[in-house]
Amino acid sequence: MTTLKPQSERRPMEWSRLILDKRFGLEDYHDPRRSARTEFQRDFDRLVFSSPFRRLQNKTQVFPLPGSIFVHNRLTHSIEVSSVGRSIANEVAICLRGKYAAEPWVGRLDAMGEIVGAACLAHDLGNPPFGHSGEKAISTFFSEGDGSRFEQQLTPEQWADLTHFEGNANAFRLLTHQFKGRRPGGFAMTYSTLAAIAKYPFSSSMAGEKNKFGFFTTERADFAKVADALGMIKLEETDAGIKYARHPLVYLVEAADDICYEVMDLEDAHKLGILTSDRLEPLLLGFFDSERRAQMERALEHIDDPNERIGYLRSCVIGKLVNCCVDVFVENEEAILRGEFQGQLLDHIPATEREAFSRCVDLSWSRIYCAPDVVDIELAGNRIITFLMEKLTEAVVNPELNYSKLLLSKVPRQYQIDDPTLYGRLQATVDYVSGMTDVYALDLYRKLNGMSLKINN
């Protein structure tokens, strides 16, 4: 075990190091061209034009992909999170500029919105098809299913990676790993953007019962390289894993994500008829004091369309929560920089807003996440992903078999299914399955079951 300094002797993190535009994999390369775009804006643009980002349009957020009624998918969710995250970060930057006005690096704070905006776009890139149930399906394939037979052939750290599969860790891998035929450094993102997506900056061996961690064993050294360069506080290091305090901007990405998925899930449920206006309007008005509520009720008198009424209230709630999170971050900035802040920003907002948000969460769990259509997606997704994992892992373990050769010929060459190690081949399988869209996974499932063959007479 590495000996680390006790908490009382640790230096706090510093914004002058935390905001760094060095690119992962291109550390020795510097482009001297002058441009209106900053390196962090380039991160944002690079993500927007990437294939993994586009594939999010066919990945489930909560509800089944839209028919006649459009609800959120992973793509629209990520865009909205980026918008909210950028707003929070820009407000925080304005507040902190006054505090650090005399510092020579104060101008770096202006990049906060760009970094958080890009990190928000990337935060769900590693999520598999069929929402969070897809993550669970991959994990339980190894912990409970056919994949359990591999446990004795892997190290405890590798086994923890697979049985705690996490989309956040997979996003870091997707952005940094040199897949076959790709350039070093993956997406070659800036260090700050990479760190800002790591909600759980520790190894899978430290995940505990929550199945949350920030990077796979294969990316441990890469994450440490980024974290150390940014001056992130190392909390623990053993042979089995490593743990850091969060990069401060993670709190802003996390808040934007939580605000968007909670409020937008309610709006989607209203559009689908799961929640009525009579139930939802009082819930959203509950975020405001009596004076502000009266103003909003007067505005609602001029809006007849039920969806427009909920849309107006939703925008007001998001604006309110953005301001609350800015206040919490600024008030607790020093504790955050010391790595001592506990919980999420939304845990510390004023009681009125915190209790209203809690009521929204309770309603979502009781009425939305248990809705028949949502459960149907989870059941189908679990079956599809489990089947694909069974077939693909069998193929990479026994590639000499005829069926294996046929199946592996369908796997894109970027995935290293011929890796010399078992763990490498299993991880390549997970890379392939987690990168699928809902539509692609369902189509492949049907084809492998002989359900969608086109045979001409």
Side-chain angles (χ1 to χ4, degrees):
M1 176 181 292
T2 300
T3 301
L4 302 177
K5 291 182 179 180
Q7 182 173 326
S8 59
E9 297 180 16
R10 294 175 189 154
R11 291 174 56 88
M13 292 177 277
E14 302 171 353
W15 290 115
S16 59
R17 293 184 64 185
L18 290 166
I19 299 176
L20 178 65
D21 64 3
K22 180 185 291 187
R23 291 198 170 279
F24 185 79
L26 299 177
E27 288 84 358
D28 297 328
Y29 176 79
H30 176 66
D31 186 352
R33 294 176 299 172
R34 293 185 178 274
S35 173
R37 290 191 302 161
T38 68
E39 293 302 319
F40 305 118
Q41 288 173 324
R42 292 178 189 273
D43 281 350
F44 186 97
D45 296 344
R46 190 167 294 182
L47 289 164
V48 167
F49 285 91
S50 70
S51 295
F53 184 70
R54 287 195 301 275
R55 286 199 294 268
L56 293 177
Q57 68 181 313
N58 275 329
K59 288 194 176 186
T60 298
Q61 175 65 14
V62 173
F63 298 102
L65 294 178
S68 59
I69 299 176
F70 187 84
V71 293
H72 287 79
N73 53 44
R74 288 282 173 187
L75 181 70
T76 51
H77 167 71
S78 297
I79 292 171
E80 290 173 349
V81 173
S82 182
S83 177
V84 172
R86 184 179 64 245
S87 295
I88 299 174
N90 284 337
E91 291 294 329
V92 167
I94 290 172
C95 295
L96 295 184
R97 276 190 70 94
K99 178 178 180 179
Y100 296 110
E103 298 292 342
W105 47 262
V106 66
R108 294 192 185 188
L109 298 175
D110 293 339
M112 280 187 173
E114 298 169 355
I115 297 169
V116 172
C120 288
L121 281 188
H123 83 283
D124 271 351
L125 283 187
N127 282 48
F130 305 109
H132 288 295
S133 63
E135 291 178 296
K136 191 68 174 177
I138 292 174
S139 296
T140 55
F141 167 76
F142 290 103
S143 63
E144 303 173 7
D146 185 62
S148 61
R149 61 194 171 110
F150 300 119
E151 180 177 5
Q152 300 306 316
Q153 303 173 61
L154 303 173
T155 68
E157 295 76 32
Q158 292 169 341
W159 187 243
D161 284 351
L162 298 175
T163 57
H164 295 85
F165 177 82
E166 218 284 328
N168 197 246
N170 203 40
F172 186 84
R173 174 174 170 80
L174 182 64
L175 292 172
T176 58
H177 181 67
Q178 185 180 1
F179 289 93
K180 188 182 294 184
R182 305 298 177 86
R183 65 180 175 182
F187 276 53
M189 305 295 284
T190 62
Y191 278 35
S192 292
T193 297
L194 288 172
I197 70 167
K199 292 172 65 175
Y200 318 103
F202 45 82
S203 304
S204 60
S205 60
M206 301 175 179
E209 297 180 356
K210 293 186 177 181
N211 276 21
K212 300 294 185 181
F213 65 102
F215 46 89
F216 297 111
T217 302
T218 43
E219 281 72 55
R220 171 176 170 169
D222 294 336
F223 188 88
K225 179 179 181 179
V226 170
D228 291 342
L230 296 172
M232 292 166 59
I233 298 172
K234 188 183 294 183
L235 300 175
E236 183 179 351
E237 183 173 12
T238 67
D239 291 339
I242 191 169
K243 182 175 184 178
Y244 286 85
R246 283 177 160 187
H247 189 290
L249 296 185
V250 170
Y251 289 98
L252 307 186
V253 175
E254 178 181 57
D257 185 26
D258 290 348
I259 290 170
C260 285
Y261 83 69
E262 187 55 57
V263 178
M264 302 313 298
D265 285 355
L266 293 173
E267 185 173 14
D268 282 348
H270 176 262
K271 289 181 178 179
L272 293 169
I274 297 172
L275 296 177
T276 64
S277 297
D278 291 343
R279 181 69 183 275
L280 191 51
E281 287 188 12
L283 189 73
L284 298 179
L285 286 167
F287 281 86
F288 305 93
D289 60 31
S290 57
E291 181 179 355
R292 175 60 176 144
R293 191 181 311 172
Q295 293 176 345
M296 294 168 64
E297 288 172 340
R298 287 195 293 271
L300 287 172
E301 293 174 0
H302 302 284
I303 307 174
D304 294 327
D305 184 272
N307 289 332
E308 288 297 315
R309 290 171 67 89
I310 296 302
Y312 166 71
L313 293 174
R314 173 258 300 156
S315 67
C316 293
V317 169
I318 290 178
K320 182 70 169 177
L321 291 174
V322 164
N323 291 334
C324 288
C325 289
V326 170
D327 291 341
V328 172
F329 187 93
V330 173
E331 291 168 4
N332 294 276
E333 182 229 1
E334 293 182 6
I336 290 171
L337 291 175
R338 293 193 302 269
E340 298 172 0
F341 184 76
Q342 299 296 315
Q344 306 175 10
L345 297 182
L346 287 167
D347 296 333
H348 300 270
I349 62 178
T352 297
E353 292 84 352
R354 186 173 68 250
E355 291 167 6
F357 192 81
S358 179
R359 290 192 292 270
C360 289
V361 172
D362 291 342
L363 181 62
S364 294
W365 279 106
S366 64
R367 294 292 303 279
I368 297 177
Y369 305 137
C370 296
D373 285 351
V374 175
V375 175
D376 287 345
I377 281 290
E378 292 188 0
L379 289 170
N382 187 287
R383 175 59 187 144
I384 291 168
I385 288 179
T386 300
F387 175 84
L388 294 178
M389 289 296 299
E390 288 173 352
K391 295 301 182 183
L392 287 162
T393 54
E394 182 64 25
V396 298
V397 171
N398 298 294
E400 73 283 355
L401 301 179
N402 182 58
Y403 182 83
S404 298
K405 293 177 182 178
L406 291 171
L407 179 55
L408 295 178
S409 70
K410 297 183 67 64
V411 179
R413 66 180 299 271
Q414 72 188 71
Y415 301 114
Q416 294 159 296
I417 53 174
D418 56 351
D419 191 274
T421 68
L422 172 63
Y423 177 70
R425 297 194 297 277
L426 293 176
Q427 194 170 36
T429 301
V430 173
D431 288 336
Y432 178 41
V433 173
S434 64
M436 295 178 182
T437 64
D438 294 19
V439 175
Y440 182 94
L442 175 59
D443 181 61
L444 182 58
Y445 172 81
R446 286 172 171 169
K447 287 178 177 177
L448 295 183
N449 279 289
M451 297 164 60
S452 60
L453 290 178
K454 295 182 179 179
I455 301 177
N456 296 321
N457 292 328

